[in-house]
Amino acid sequence: MNNLAKRTVSGIGFLAIMLAALLTNQYVFGAVMLLALVIMMKEFLRMTCGTEYKFSQVLTIFAGATLFSLIFLYRAFNIPGRLVILAFVPVFILMINSLYVKDKTRFDKFSNLYASLLYIAVPWSVQNFAVFNAAGDFNGIYLLSFFAVIWGSDIGAYVFGITLGQKYGRKLFPSISPKKSWVGFWGGMLTAVLVAIVLNLVGIFKLSLMHCITMAVLLDVAGVYGDLIESQWKRHYNVKDSGNSIPGHGGLLDRFDSALIAIPIGIIYLVTWDALLL
């Protein structure tokens, strides 16, 4: 019961923070999402690099935070778009820093530093394009809808997978995540579509019903791949959770692994259909 209470309280707190970030204003959004980015990168680097190259890890997190901050300022306050290119500066510093590392016995770990930028910092920074229009006005409804569909998919996959998937049907990706099943996959997709339909009917997801359903399918598939990608990292490094940022739930990277792939896909879809004007 203590563990259940811990999971419940931390889950409610996590949800409250996310709602505040998406429904209040650009300042809360920027602060919460920037902090989340830093924590996720720290969790990933702790998992993959451990205590080695600590200074380089700090440089990497700074580079990721710089990218997010510059795109945020570009979208929220209309700073010149050309200034976003300054995000390359800390990346170049990181590269140069690698030449001066004395102990190169585990130099292969430097690839994980660069991977964290591509895997976490870039897709997380793209969120800014979903919450700001061309005039810099903040509206987190699209992003909130994305998260609702993604988390609905996760819940559906878990419920269907734990009740039916362990007894019937084949495993989805047994070499990476033995517990995931095709039953859970289809259950998650069904739930994602139902969430999207409900959001559309209540006027939150303001696209045509067909677009909402298509979006739900895309977010579901992309989210499953995002989950599997993180599972592959964790399996390789033999860890159960990326961290303990959310008591009883693991790390932030465990909670946002699906979103790192799904949200950019959702934004690409909206841009393709001119539903999101950049």
Side-chain angles (χ1 to χ4, degrees):
M1 289 300 295
N2 288 335
N3 186 54
L4 177 60
K6 182 192 298 184
R7 286 176 59 86
T8 301
V9 171
S10 60
I12 292 174
F14 170 75
L15 181 60
I17 292 172
M18 288 300 297
L19 289 175
L22 296 171
L23 298 177
T24 51
N25 56 57
Q26 66 267 39
Y27 303 106
V28 177
F29 168 81
V32 169
M33 294 307 184
L34 179 59
L35 178 60
L37 170 65
V38 170
I39 293 173
M40 284 191 291
M41 292 188 71
K42 184 177 180 180
E43 290 175 348
F44 179 83
L45 294 174
R46 183 172 57 236
M47 175 175 64
T48 58
C49 296
T51 58
E52 297 180 89
Y53 305 124
K54 295 294 290 185
F55 179 67
S56 298
Q57 290 187 42
V58 172
L59 283 178
T60 304
I61 294 173
F62 178 72
T66 299
L67 175 64
F68 179 90
S69 299
L70 287 172
I71 295 179
F72 171 79
L73 292 173
Y74 164 59
R75 296 298 295 174
F77 299 102
N78 292 311
I79 70 167
R82 63 181 180 273
L83 294 182
V84 175
I85 201 172
L86 293 176
F88 283 106
V89 173
V91 177
F92 293 151
I93 294 174
L94 173 65
M95 293 177 178
I96 295 171
N97 169 71
S98 69
L99 299 174
Y100 294 93
V101 172
K102 294 181 180 179
D103 183 7
K104 291 186 170 62
T105 55
R106 295 307 310 275
F107 189 69
D108 58 302
K109 288 186 177 291
F110 255 79
S111 62
N112 292 325
L113 302 179
Y114 304 132
S116 70
L117 292 170
L118 182 62
Y119 173 44
I120 300 174
V122 172
W124 197 251
S125 299
V126 169
Q127 288 185 106
N128 287 292
F129 290 96
V131 298
F132 296 107
N133 62 19
D137 299 319
F138 175 78
N139 188 336
I141 291 299
Y142 273 134
L143 194 54
L144 176 61
S145 299
F146 287 172
F147 279 120
V149 171
I150 293 167
W151 291 335
S153 171
D154 287 345
I155 294 171
Y158 176 79
V159 172
F160 279 88
I162 204 71
T163 56
L164 300 173
Q166 304 305 311
K167 296 181 180 179
Y168 308 103
R170 296 184 300 143
K171 299 300 181 181
L172 180 64
F173 236 112
S175 62
I176 295 176
S177 188
K179 293 184 178 181
K180 285 184 172 58
S181 65
W182 279 103
V183 172
F185 171 79
W186 292 114
M189 182 173 291
L190 174 63
T191 310
V193 170
L194 290 176
V195 170
I197 291 174
V198 170
L199 291 176
N200 177 266
L201 293 177
V202 299
I204 295 178
F205 213 166
K206 297 181 180 180
L207 298 172
S208 71
L209 184 59
M210 185 55 65
H211 276 318
C212 287
I213 293 174
T214 303
M215 178 76 73
V217 172
L218 288 175
L219 292 174
D220 173 77
V221 174
V224 169
Y225 276 117
D227 189 292
L228 289 170
I229 288 169
E230 198 221 0
S231 294
Q232 184 169 244
W233 282 103
K234 292 193 293 186
R235 178 166 288 272
H236 179 75
Y237 287 99
N238 195 31
V239 298
K240 182 179 182 295
D241 298 316
S242 64
N244 57 2
S245 305
I246 309 175
H249 292 268
L252 271 189
L253 186 57
D254 297 321
R255 302 283 67 80
F256 289 125
D257 53 358
S258 299
L260 289 175
I261 305 298
I263 287 176
I265 293 297
I267 293 174
I268 290 171
Y269 181 85
L270 291 178
V271 170
T272 301
W273 289 96
D274 292 330
L276 190 65
L277 301 178
L278 300 181

